Amino acid sequence: MSEASTRRKPNQQSALLDTELEHLPPELRWREWMGRVEAVVFAASEPVMRETLARIVGKSCSIDLLIDDIREELRGRPYDLVSVAGGWKHLTRPAYADAIRAAVGGSGKTSDLTQSEVLVLMCIGYFQPITRAELSSFFGKEISRDFIGHLRGAGLIASGPRSPTPGAPYTYVTTKEFLLEFGLDTLRDLPDFEALEDAGLLSKEKLLAGAIMPDFSAGQ
């Protein structure tokens, strides 16, 4: 098979797929679209974007309503179809986390993070883009390059734009992997800062005073 033929193959496959399904009555057409969407999301290892799903359903189909109907049917199942990292993905429900860990162990990146690393990630998530010096100032402890390197190696943060401060140091931002690991669709889904304070999980005063975690250096 020639290279040109290989390049044409995906387009040919798309052309063969009947997306409008006009020969079906509305109810059966909707069910078929639901099945296609769920199958594609189930088969994908990464969140499936809206643009991808739009290629397998009719032009008049509301993907949001389709997702709502699929989620309603999954209500009693141990997994759900959730919006994460800008797309949709099948995820098991939190109630079954202990059973999954008992069966296969904890292999996720977040299970390998120390409390200090989670706090730094949270700080980057809320205040990005942020420099290493600013992070050190927040926590009142030096945030080492190795510490940042570990989070970068896990794919949870990346370099952002240069800071306009003297020396133009790099800033750091969270990544799509960060959203995936913490089950967030966008950064807007981070818990409200005031809600964290009300729950006693975070104190802005202590954060700014460098007293959020006295044993921070030991955690590194």
Side-chain angles (χ1 to χ4, degrees), residues 119-138:
L119 282 171
V120 170
L121 273 175
M122 181 172 62
C123 191
I124 295 173
Y126 279 107
F127 301 112
Q128 61 187 302
I130 187 171
T131 66
R132 187 168 64 88
E134 288 170 332
L135 285 169
S136 297
S137 176
F138 272 147

Side-chain angles (χ1 to χ4, degrees), residues 41-54:
V41 174
F42 183 84
S45 58
E46 296 289 331
V48 180
M49 302 294 112
R50 180 182 299 271
E51 295 76 12
T52 300
L53 297 180

Side-chain angles (χ1 to χ4, degrees), residues 63-190:
I63 292 176
D64 290 320
L65 291 179
L66 207 64
I67 294 290
D68 286 345
D69 282 356
I70 294 173
R71 295 194 67 194
E72 182 62 30
E73 291 199 345
L74 295 177
R75 186 177 294 275
R77 306 298 298 167
Y79 55 89
D80 194 5
L81 183 60
V82 300
S83 179
V84 60
W88 284 278
K89 185 177 177 65
H90 279 297
L91 292 178
T92 52
R93 299 186 188 276
Y96 296 92
D98 290 341
I100 294 171
R101 280 193 292 267
V104 300
S107 57
K109 293 184 180 68
T110 51
S111 64
D112 298 328
L113 295 175
T114 66
Q115 186 178 14
S116 298
E117 288 168 334
V118 172
L119 282 171
V120 170
L121 273 175
M122 181 172 62
C123 191
I124 295 173
Y126 279 107
F127 301 112
Q128 61 187 302
I130 187 171
T131 66
R132 187 168 64 88
E134 288 170 332
L135 285 169
S136 297
S137 176
F138 272 147
F139 288 99
K141 300 288 192 297
E142 175 68 16
I143 307 297
S144 70
R145 287 184 173 85
D146 288 343
F147 189 95
I148 292 295
H150 182 254
L151 296 179
R152 290 192 62 173
L156 298 170
I157 64 171
S159 295
R162 293 273 193 170
S163 170
T165 57
Y170 280 109
T171 61
Y172 297 99
V173 296
T174 55
T175 62
K176 179 180 177 181
E177 188 67 23
F178 169 85
L179 297 176
L180 285 171
E181 285 296 326
F182 290 96
L184 304 173
D185 187 19
T186 70
L187 290 172
R188 291 190 298 272
D189 295 325
L190 281 168

